[in-house]
Amino acid sequence: MRARLTSVAICTALTMAGLLTGLGLRTASVAAPAATPAPPPDTAALRAQYEKWRTEFKTWGKFAPLGQESKGTSSLITPEKVASAQKLVKTGMVISLAHAEPQVVAADVGAAGIFHRTTNQITDGGTTDNYSVSYHGQTIAHIDSWCHFFENGMMYNGVPVKGNLDPEHGCIKGSVMNWRGGVTTRAVLYDIAQLKGVDWVDPNTPITRADLEAWERKSGVKIGPGDIPLLYTGRWKRRAALGPWTGQVAGYYPDTIPWMHDRLPSFIGHDFNIDWNPRPGWEGMRNPIHVAVLNWIGINIVECLDLEELVATARLLNRYEFLITYVPMPVEGGTGSPVNPLVIF
């Protein structure tokens, strides 16, 4: 009897030890909540400057009469600019900057962002299909229009939202129709991953003006009026290696806004969303970079570009400026459009 009790006690002790060990392992495997990052030391000063830039950096009335339709800094893509950009074509090599349209929901692909292709009735002679997608977001290469972002009831160039925007007609002024003739200009690759000597930039790391200017010194090229910077952080390479994610973007930091205002590019390009995130110290302010370029300065956006093939080719050839061209769908009243930008070496 005593032997049996001893055996039971030993088994019970071993079982409890196993449970406790398992509990300890499970407890150790639970990640601690991520700490909220502290605001960078220049945050207060930049927020104060940002409020001044709201008026100082506005180009309303510069490219078209106040309150009228305007292409903003895209107006700087003159016929002479296009002809000059075409001289950059040396080999005729063409590279697409658009990732395949998403077909599966993921961290960076909401249900509305799925590119729905519906194949209609299939007959002996063929078939047709319908496309449906909400392209604004983190995945689909697209451009915005002025009526995508507004402040205090006003769009870019002093166009009021009231009377200009409704669900039936979309945007009367400020729509994607401003770019129905397409965009053809000079683009410059800003290879920040190469600058920092990494495969991809940590998504929690914002891209500063110092980064952009350091790359200009390293590469020997920089943007000017009407050009397009293409900011490469290695987003798609990281996604392929580690999987999709959301909430962290190595985007443009607010100290790049004066750089944009000085250079006046036609579009700001990026392989993710253009706004840096997370944004500690900027709580309560939505997408500060989007607002600055789309509402104040009149610079448009082309984002979520797949720059991987471009980067590999540019590094091989040691060429970081080239011709870029793309055309949005001419949707009357549209707030933007998916695009498939092409770079030609």
Side-chain angles (χ1 to χ4, degrees):
M1 182 70 176
R2 181 180 298 172
R4 203 172 89 186
L5 289 173
T6 302
S7 177
V8 171
I10 292 172
C11 289
T12 302
L14 289 173
T15 302
M16 290 300 295
L19 288 172
L20 290 172
T21 301
L23 180 60
L25 288 173
R26 287 196 297 273
T27 302
S29 67
V30 176
T36 303
D42 61 354
T43 299
L46 276 177
R47 285 211 60 160
Q49 284 294 323
Y50 190 86
E51 297 307 318
K52 294 181 179 180
W53 295 337
R54 287 182 188 276
T55 54
E56 292 176 357
F57 286 176
K58 277 185 177 175
T59 64
W60 295 11
K62 179 179 178 67
F63 302 106
L66 198 65
Q68 298 302 309
E69 194 70 272
S70 175
K71 293 176 67 174
T73 57
S74 298
S75 303
L76 299 171
I77 305 178
T78 62
E80 294 76 19
K81 181 73 177 178
V82 175
S84 175
Q86 289 176 334
K87 294 176 183 177
L88 295 171
V89 176
K90 306 297 182 186
T91 68
M93 182 189 305
V94 181
I95 295 175
S96 167
L97 305 186
H99 201 74
E101 305 296 355
Q103 301 291 312
V104 179
V105 171
D108 56 352
V109 184
I114 294 296
F115 201 99
H116 291 284
R117 183 206 65 257
T118 303
T119 301
N120 300 320
Q121 182 180 8
I122 301 174
T123 69
D124 291 339
T127 187
T128 60
D129 54 12
N130 297 334
Y131 291 161
S132 175
V133 65
S134 179
Y135 54 86
H136 291 291
Q138 302 181 30
T139 309
I140 297 173
H142 69 277
I143 71 171
D144 293 337
S145 72
W146 309 140
C147 61
H148 180 45
F149 263 75
F150 33 82
E151 273 196 321
N152 303 317
M154 302 293 282
M155 300 180 189
Y156 173 66
N157 207 39
V159 175
V161 175
K162 187 176 181 179
N164 183 65
L165 182 63
D166 66 69
E168 181 180 354
H169 304 95
C171 316
I172 298 172
K173 295 178 183 176
S175 80
V176 73
M177 294 295 283
N178 274 305
W179 297 275
R180 67 178 301 181
V183 175
T184 301
T185 189
R186 173 178 177 261
V188 176
L189 177 63
Y190 283 72
D191 189 347
I192 304 302
Q194 182 185 161
L195 176 71
K196 295 180 179 292
V198 296
D199 288 333
W200 51 75
V201 180
D202 183 334
N204 293 287
T205 305
I207 307 305
T208 66
R209 180 172 186 165
D211 292 326
L212 300 176
E213 293 178 342
W215 173 253
E216 291 172 348
R217 291 190 295 272
K218 179 179 175 65
S219 66
V221 292
K222 62 183 182 180
I223 60 163
D227 291 339
I228 301 177
L230 301 176
L231 179 60
Y232 175 73
T233 66
R235 177 265 179 99
W236 294 101
K237 181 181 288 186
R238 185 183 190 276
R239 191 181 195 269
L242 304 179
W245 77 96
T246 189
Q248 299 82 38
V249 180
Y252 292 89
Y253 194 56
D255 72 350
T256 63
I257 295 174
W259 176 84
M260 298 173 190
H261 180 261
D262 292 344
R263 303 295 184 84
L264 292 179
S266 55
F267 283 73
I268 293 292
H270 196 357
D271 58 4
F272 214 156
N273 292 115
I274 67 167
D275 274 86
W276 88 107
N277 200 59
R279 299 191 285 269
W282 294 76
E283 291 81 7
M285 185 177 294
R286 63 186 187 121
N287 296 13
I289 306 297
H290 272 75
V291 169
V293 297
L294 288 176
N295 190 267
W296 312 344
I297 313 176
I299 301 171
N300 206 334
I301 293 168
V302 56
E303 59 188 352
C304 300
L305 302 174
D306 187 340
L307 303 178
E308 298 301 336
E309 184 180 357
L310 172 63
V311 165
T313 305
R315 290 176 180 178
L316 181 65
L317 301 177
N318 194 31
R319 281 190 54 194
Y320 297 97
E321 58 174 343
F322 22 74
L323 177 75
I324 189 171
T325 185
Y326 50 90
V327 183
M329 293 184 290
V331 179
E332 292 186 347
T335 64
S337 172
V339 288
N340 180 18
L342 302 177
V343 155
I344 308 176
F345 279 86

